[in-house]
Amino acid sequence: MNASVLAVARSLLFVPGHRPERFGKALATEAGGVILDLEDAVAPQDKAAAREYVRAFVQQAEPAQRARLLVRINPVDAPEHAGDLQALRSLRDRPLGGVVLPKASDANTLAAVAEAAGPGVALLPLIESAEGWAQADALARAPGVLRLVFGHLDFQLDMGMAADEAQTELMPVRLALVAASRRAGLAPPVDGVTPDVGNAVACDTDTRRAQRLGFGGKLCIHPGQVALVHTAFAPSVAERDWAQRVLLANDTAQGAVFQFEGRMVDAPVLARARRLLLP
């Protein structure tokens, strides 16, 4: 199933939909998924052409490539939304990996997107508003939804917020999206972009904060951010060494609760150790 690739993706890389010469280059990176963007990255006069560029590229892409491809369509209240849904219908015989719906706030809208995209195509609602935040549980439980995505820049605009450098004010929102994902049994959510593409420290800081909060991936707007994101999400050498030693000790304990380095090891500790050793 296409969605399995995107469920574990640590990076989702945006590519403007009106720049087809970049599509293949983006797929050649190590990004877990590539989002062909029909929304914010494309000027109104270029949207029709972008839709055709995206449709043509998906039509000729190999199955393994399509499994990593997503399209961010225009929101439901945009004049281009209906055309985007029609383009999705035309690709049902060459299905994408997923569709990102911006300004998501209504499960019924997600159902219409799912119908257009066809079975097996993952839905990733982009939470960018107060209403989207309020509907996080309903969106997470909607059929076809794989992961929630946080659009923190538009969220601040909608709320009239101005977060500090550490984005402290957004902590409750991020925790709510992680909790909603967990309650619905989804893959961990995807955090928003780091807009300063030349600032590796900021990208690393943002990603490590997201990882500590329980996010499983991050949106990228430049290929140079992908490796930074993967490194920040990956367990350290010390963490992997700890996990291997814990699991070895568990084998010796033959299922009984035991102590390791002064700490009791039970099922949650073992689960964390196994998670740290995932590819």
Side-chain angles (χ1 to χ4, degrees):
M1 184 177 178
N2 288 350
S4 61
V5 176
L6 301 176
V8 296
R10 292 174 175 172
S11 59
L12 298 179
L13 175 62
F14 277 114
V15 184
H18 64 306
R19 300 297 301 272
E21 73 278 7
R22 297 185 183 179
F23 296 172
K25 293 177 182 177
L27 279 174
T29 70
E30 295 297 318
V34 171
I35 304 173
L36 306 179
D37 191 14
L38 297 176
E39 195 214 9
D40 281 350
V42 183
Q45 66 271 18
D46 295 325
K47 286 186 182 285
R51 187 185 299 128
E52 289 307 307
Y53 289 140
V54 167
R55 200 169 65 84
F57 185 78
V58 174
Q59 284 279 14
Q60 58 82 40
E62 297 296 325
Q65 294 176 316
R66 286 188 279 112
R68 293 173 59 214
L69 282 176
L70 308 94
V71 171
R72 179 166 71 170
I73 62 175
N74 288 279
V76 66
D77 60 352
E80 297 85 5
H81 183 77
D84 291 347
L85 293 189
Q86 188 57 42
L88 292 178
R89 291 188 185 96
S90 74
L91 294 170
R92 287 171 66 104
D93 63 334
R94 303 282 290 175
L96 291 154
V99 178
V100 178
L101 177 66
K103 311 291 192 296
S105 62
D106 177 26
N108 290 330
T109 302
L110 285 175
V113 175
E115 183 280 326
V121 178
L123 302 180
L124 285 79
L126 187 53
I127 310 300
E128 301 181 278
S129 67
E131 183 61 22
W133 182 25
Q135 298 298 322
D137 278 301
L139 294 170
R141 292 190 170 100
V145 170
L146 180 70
R147 305 174 80 167
L148 300 179
V149 186
F150 186 31
H152 69 289
L153 298 177
D154 280 295
F155 182 86
Q156 290 178 79
L157 183 64
D158 183 66
M159 292 283 287
M161 295 175 66
D164 63 16
E165 187 174 353
Q167 300 183 21
T168 309
E169 293 82 358
L170 295 173
M171 187 78 74
V173 189
R174 287 190 164 99
L175 288 174
L177 298 187
V178 171
S181 299
R182 184 73 184 107
R183 285 190 292 266
L186 301 184
V190 180
D191 202 11
V193 303
T194 298
D196 187 352
V197 296
N199 191 334
V201 173
C203 185
D204 180 77
T205 299
D206 290 348
T207 309
R208 292 185 188 278
R209 177 183 57 242
Q211 191 265 353
R212 290 194 303 272
L213 288 171
F215 281 75
K218 180 171 171 60
L219 298 175
C220 299
I221 55 174
H222 190 277
Q225 294 178 324
V226 171
L228 295 169
V229 167
H230 288 189
T231 298
F233 270 117
S236 67
V237 173
E239 287 175 323
R240 292 182 66 87
D241 177 68
W242 170 86
Q244 289 170 341
R245 290 186 292 114
V246 165
L247 294 179
L248 183 61
N250 181 59
D251 291 341
T252 303
Q254 298 182 337
V257 174
F258 63 97
Q259 283 199 353
F260 180 79
E261 296 181 346
R263 178 180 178 181
M264 184 185 75
V265 174
D266 54 7
V269 176
L270 292 173
R272 177 173 182 267
R274 294 187 181 103
R275 190 179 303 120
L276 287 170
L277 295 177
L278 289 174

